[in-house]
Amino acid sequence: MGDLFFNKIAGVIIGGILAILVITELGHMLVKSHAAEELTAENTAYPVDWAALESGGSASQEAVIEGPTDYALLLASADIGAGERVARRCQSCHTFDSGAADGTGPHLWNVVGRAVASVAGFNYSGALLELGGDWGYEELDGFLERPSAYAPGTAMTFAGLRDEGQRMDLIAYMRSLSESPMALPDPLPAAAPETVEAAMDETMDAMELPAAQDAPEPTETPVDEPAPADGH
């Protein structure tokens, strides 16, 4: 029992530990390979609407949720003071006072309800000249959200306001820049209960749900009737 004996024992112990580590690592690799397997329509147990999952929801659901914008409701709760603070971002190109000269952009006094590209003497881009119409609430909302998308080719370099609340505050402030502000729009009529119910039915019909299995018809267990009693 010299040094060689103890070296053999140490070698056996180290070899066993290495074998355990190798087996453990192989097990982890096999488990990861199964866990990372991509889900597809072929290896799922239940029918899945993959297009709806990729888009975040069905088109019918989005149509019901979005609906038209009620500008009367939004503008009634808008903050004119906050809109004035938002308008400071525009002061490098626009003026807001009555009778003020144009800047890089046209003056914005009395802009709400004004015809598009109608300030005399201002050199508008072709995109706005072709746009036509008036700067109503819906038009201002669309243009302020993203000018380059609403009027492709516009010379206005402002990226836009993504926040709807800020847009409503700004529009409410610009509406106040007038001796006779444009009337607020009428509120949208509330949806009738039967209309909401019909929309919900359409949404449910559009959803793909697994077919329910027919329940077995109940069977009747015969019950022995008591024998009639003997008459006396």
Side-chain angles (χ1 to χ4, degrees):
M1 296 180 64
D3 294 338
L4 183 61
F5 176 76
F6 291 105
N7 289 340
K8 290 182 179 180
I9 293 177
V12 171
I13 294 174
I14 294 173
I17 293 174
L18 290 176
I20 293 173
L21 291 176
V22 170
I23 294 172
T24 303
E25 187 64 24
L26 286 175
H28 289 168
M29 292 174 62
L30 292 175
V31 171
K32 287 182 180 179
S33 64
H34 288 292
E37 183 180 358
E38 182 180 1
L39 291 176
T40 63
E42 288 76 16
N43 62 16
T44 50
Y46 299 95
V48 178
D49 188 351
W50 295 98
L53 288 176
E54 293 175 359
S55 63
S58 65
S60 59
Q61 287 176 315
E62 292 176 357
V64 172
I65 293 173
E66 288 181 0
T69 302
D70 194 337
Y71 288 103
L73 180 63
L74 293 175
L75 290 170
S77 59
D79 186 339
I80 294 178
E84 183 177 6
R85 291 190 291 273
V86 175
R88 293 172 187 171
R89 308 180 191 181
C90 314
Q91 289 178 347
S92 60
C93 296
H94 298 276
T95 58
F96 295 87
D97 298 329
S98 176
D102 299 324
T104 306
H107 70 269
L108 297 180
W109 174 263
N110 204 30
V111 64
V112 179
R114 186 171 74 194
V116 176
S118 62
V119 173
F122 187 83
N123 186 23
Y124 288 97
S125 63
L128 287 184
L129 290 172
E130 296 174 0
L131 193 60
D134 298 331
W135 286 123
Y137 298 113
E138 182 177 358
E139 291 76 15
L140 282 170
D141 182 29
F143 184 73
L144 291 173
E145 181 178 10
R146 193 177 176 189
S148 61
Y150 188 83
T154 179
M156 185 170 176
T157 58
F158 180 59
L161 292 172
R162 299 295 187 269
D163 186 89
E164 185 180 69
Q166 289 186 340
R167 295 198 306 273
M168 293 303 110
D169 292 341
L170 179 57
I171 292 172
Y173 168 65
M174 292 193 297
R175 175 181 177 269
S176 70
L177 303 177
S178 175
E179 295 176 355
S180 55
M182 180 180 175
L184 291 173
D186 295 329
L188 294 178
E194 56 271 15
T195 304
V196 176
E197 184 177 355
M200 293 177 63
D201 291 341
E202 292 179 1
T203 301
M204 295 301 297
D205 292 341
M207 296 174 62
E208 295 184 5
L209 299 176
Q213 297 181 352
D214 296 335
E217 296 182 358
T219 56
E220 296 182 359
T221 303
V223 178
D224 296 334
E225 296 181 358
D230 293 337
H232 292 282

